[in-house]
Amino acid sequence: MKLVYFVLKRFLMMIGVFFSVLVLTFIVSRVIPGDPAFLFAGPQRADPQTLENIRRMMGLDKPLHEQFFYYVWGLLRGDLGFSWHTGRPVIKDILQRFPATLELTLVAMGMSIIFGISLGVFSSVKRGKKIDYIVRLIAFTGASIPSFWLGLMLILVFFYYLGLLPSPGRLSMYVSPPKHITGLYLLDSLLTGNFTTFVDALAHIILPAFCLSWGLTAHILRLTRGSMLEALQQPYIVFAKSKGLPEKVIVYKHALRNALIPIVSWTGMAFASLLGGAIVIEYVFNWPGMGLYMVESIFSFDYAPVLACTLVITFCFLLANFIVDIIYAIIDPRVREVL
């Protein structure tokens, strides 16, 4: 019963935060400099009557609270507005581009978890040795180097100078996308047996996924190392060592299992933040995802896609936190009493 109450409480909090972000982003999108009607019409057709007609068509002639009401009503019906710089409904643009962002985020998240936890455990076991200092140096550089600069350097080295990896993008010009099933090229190409596309898509996603995961790997590494060092000093670990259990059993079965609790909580939030962090990486690598769509919309002063993408990222962030909170409460029942 306590778990049900906990889930309901977190769900209501999620709805409240989402609505707050909706109000804030809507107001900001309406008060920023620039006239969407003028940009839509163009300088050659921007006479007063045309601008007035366009504002009426966009609903910009109504008071702010009415505009917000109509936007929320459209949002509930799945209408995210119209993107005038692409000439399509925003919902269609997002549905087309979101799988690319999701695929990049999933690959980056997988790389961060594998390397971050592995190096963190290895560093904690080898505490005070040379390899520990090397791993900590990797974590320091990962947290310090800007992802956009790292991306530019990797493109310069691996594409321009060495020619080991293809040019920025999601696929090469001569490779056709796989049959659409999920929108994830790596998965769709495997499901359809299109290994040529799979290899090409994998080669294209390596650099952007690495750049996106670089900073997150450093944080997971440091968190894992700290949690493992704390777990390895607990009395049950000392007791396990006194029983003569093998080191692998002590580290991976006993210490790591308890050290994963804060890592699971933090990783869930990090996954959602990667969706927002992918904006810069997608622009650097010309990755046709939601981040690149936002950048193009910002440059075009097309606020409807920017607002919609912000809400999608916010929803993903809140949903990830909601799921992690439930998992955390199941793993550690004491959380239900605190939150």
Side-chain angles (χ1 to χ4, degrees), residues 177-249:
K179 182 181 178 181
H180 183 85
I181 300 177
T182 63
L184 310 179
Y185 283 2
L186 292 175
L187 181 59
D188 290 352
S189 58
L190 286 177
L191 293 176
T192 57
N194 191 345
F195 296 106
T196 301
T197 302
F198 175 80
V199 173
D200 189 74
L202 182 62
H204 277 83
I205 205 173
I206 289 176
L207 289 184
F210 178 80
C211 290
L212 188 60
S213 66
W214 179 249
L216 180 59
T217 301
H219 289 292
I220 294 179
L221 192 160
R222 295 168 65 180
L223 181 61
T224 303
R225 183 180 183 276
S227 298
M228 283 294 297
L229 289 176
E230 183 179 354
L232 289 172
Q233 296 175 359
Q234 297 299 317
Y236 64 88
I237 296 297
V238 178
F239 178 72
K241 289 180 179 179
S242 65
K243 290 176 60 178
L245 294 178
E247 184 180 9
K248 290 184 177 180
V249 175

Side-chain angles (χ1 to χ4, degrees), residues 97 278-279 282-283 286-297:
R97 294 171 179 262
I279 295 174
E282 288 185 6
Y283 183 71
N286 194 30
W287 191 263
M290 202 165 58
L292 184 60
Y293 181 52
M294 284 189 69
V295 174
E296 294 172 348
S297 302

Side-chain angles (χ1 to χ4, degrees), residues 9 42 51-52 89 118 172 182 268 324:
K9 182 179 178 181
L51 293 178
E52 184 64 27
S118 300
S172 300
T182 63
V324 168

